[in-house]
Amino acid sequence: MALPLSLSIAVRHLSHRRRQTVTSLLGISLGVAFFIAIASMMQGFQRDFVARIIDVSPHITIKDEFRSPPRQPVQQVYAHAALVALRGLKPKDETRGIRGARAIIEALGQMPGLKAAPTLTGNILLRFGSKDISATISGIVPDQERQVTKLEKDLITGSLDRLYTAANGIIIGEGIALKANIATDDMVSVISPEGVVMRMKVVGIFRSGITSMDNFETYALLKKAQVLQNRPNIINRIRLRLEDVEQARVLAQGLESRFGYRSESWQEQSSNILGLFVIQNAIMYSTVGAILIVACFGIFNVISTVVFEKTKDIGILKSMGFRDAQIRRIFIAEGMMVGLIGTVLGWALGYGLVEFMGTLDFKMEGFVRAQGFILYRTPIHYLISGAMAMTSSTFAAWLPARRASRLQPVDIVRGAA
């Protein structure tokens, strides 16, 4: 089947300059392939991190503090007075904790799609033999804790129910266990800042995959934590889990307005990391965009050279009745063919790179513990890369194509003479 005349001319132009055409194809295909590989790697890590945060941590945490200190009477009376200022105000000596916590938890329990659990969190010193480890203890109610976190799923030894059966049970992170060589059923000494010392039995060890939690977090019954912290019948956290995690930010703002206490969504608690993801994505698009721009210069150079060399041919075509739009269509078709072929080659190369990275195996220690590249495979990466490649190659071809369409046969003949 014969090709249309304009397309046949475009193919002959590209085949005549094979070396430059191949160079342009390589630039487009490498840009597309690197975009697919980098996007798969970065978004795989980002989605895995968010999944870990959502899976391990509560979606909303209500704390026994206020986002801004209460306004004093002098500030309310002289709110707009420039010469009146209040300085050196000391906080009241009062027991920290959420007031009316039981009523708040009951009100939260009536909201659909929401689970709540009380917690008392404090600092401790965990001693095993001659080894002292600073850690954080969270007093929990196991039956309610199951509803707001995945602590039970993360246990590698022991169980949550053993907190009920052991006299003074404690669950520790894997990092703490490795630091002090602690095993399940070992007895450890736990010392609080209040000076309370309690001998506790390790009834479980968990591994969340988040290194900061595994190295510092411990859990005990709420009553035991209250005794240890010398804060009877007090909680300082209410942790919530939602069916729709995307509603966490909006709901946290509503709860803070209703109850007054600072309510942080998982997005706010991880805002610094999520901000880094935006920077990562900007770097990724900038890098791949630079590669495609360099490749488009190659396309621009090829087609500009063809226009210069085929000036007489353009004059002949116009004298035969070819219109400006048809001339433009020839050279734009050349850029689109380079972009299309480069995109297909880039898709194949990108798929190979992603599968190769998936076979790599290494361990990484940091905020999140991972093994190998965490990849996210989706057709969207292929569509975005293809759209970027086709748009850039078409634009690179349009500039010399517009110049070619403006050439007039009379001017060409005069220039040749």
Side-chain angles (χ1 to χ4, degrees), residues 164-224:
Y164 289 121
T165 57
N168 294 318
I170 186 172
I171 295 175
I172 64 175
E174 184 186 34
I176 298 176
L178 294 176
K179 287 179 183 178
N181 197 25
I182 301 173
T184 307
D185 295 329
D186 284 343
M187 298 297 296
V188 297
S189 297
V190 178
I191 307 169
S192 71
E194 300 296 328
V196 180
V197 181
M198 184 179 295
R199 291 283 292 172
M200 306 189 76
K201 184 177 183 179
V202 178
V203 297
I205 299 174
F206 71 89
R207 181 197 298 134
S208 65
I210 299 179
T211 307
S212 59
M213 294 186 63
D214 294 342
N215 287 345
F216 297 101
E217 294 288 338
T218 65
Y219 296 89
L221 283 179
L222 179 59
K223 292 296 182 181
K224 302 297 180 182

Side-chain angles (χ1 to χ4, degrees), residues 244-322:
D244 185 3
V245 297
E246 298 300 329
Q247 299 297 320
R249 191 188 297 273
V250 176
L251 182 57
Q253 295 174 353
L255 295 176
E256 186 168 327
S257 301
R258 178 177 177 181
F259 301 117
Y261 289 105
R262 184 184 183 101
S263 301
E264 295 181 351
S265 63
W266 66 269
Q267 294 100 324
E268 181 180 355
Q269 293 173 344
S270 306
S271 58
N272 55 340
I273 304 297
L274 297 179
L276 291 177
F277 291 167
V278 176
I279 299 175
Q280 281 184 346
N281 292 332
I283 293 174
M284 174 183 67
Y285 283 107
S286 300
T287 303
V288 176
I291 296 174
L292 291 176
I293 289 174
V294 173
C296 288
F297 274 114
I299 297 175
F300 177 82
N301 180 56
V302 171
I303 298 179
S304 296
T305 304
V306 171
V307 171
F308 179 76
E309 292 179 348
K310 303 298 181 181
T311 301
K312 293 182 179 180
D313 295 345
I314 294 172
I316 295 173
L317 291 175
K318 282 205 164 187
S319 64
M320 292 173 58
F322 273 67

Side-chain angles (χ1 to χ4, degrees), residues 74-146:
V74 66
Q75 295 173 328
Q76 297 176 3
V77 175
Y78 301 100
H80 303 287
L83 300 179
V84 179
L86 179 64
R87 300 181 184 276
L89 181 65
K90 296 182 179 179
K92 293 182 180 180
D93 293 332
E94 57 182 358
T95 304
R96 290 282 301 272
I98 299 177
R99 296 181 179 179
R102 182 175 298 179
I104 294 176
I105 293 175
E106 290 178 356
L108 294 173
Q110 296 175 359
M111 296 182 180
L114 186 149
K115 302 294 182 181
T119 306
L120 176 64
T121 302
N123 297 322
I124 59 169
L125 183 67
L126 191 148
R127 178 172 296 167
F128 183 68
S130 60
K131 189 74 172 180
D132 292 339
I133 300 175
S134 298
T136 300
I137 189 167
S138 296
I140 61 174
V141 180
D143 293 337
Q144 293 175 296
E145 187 69 16
R146 291 187 177 97

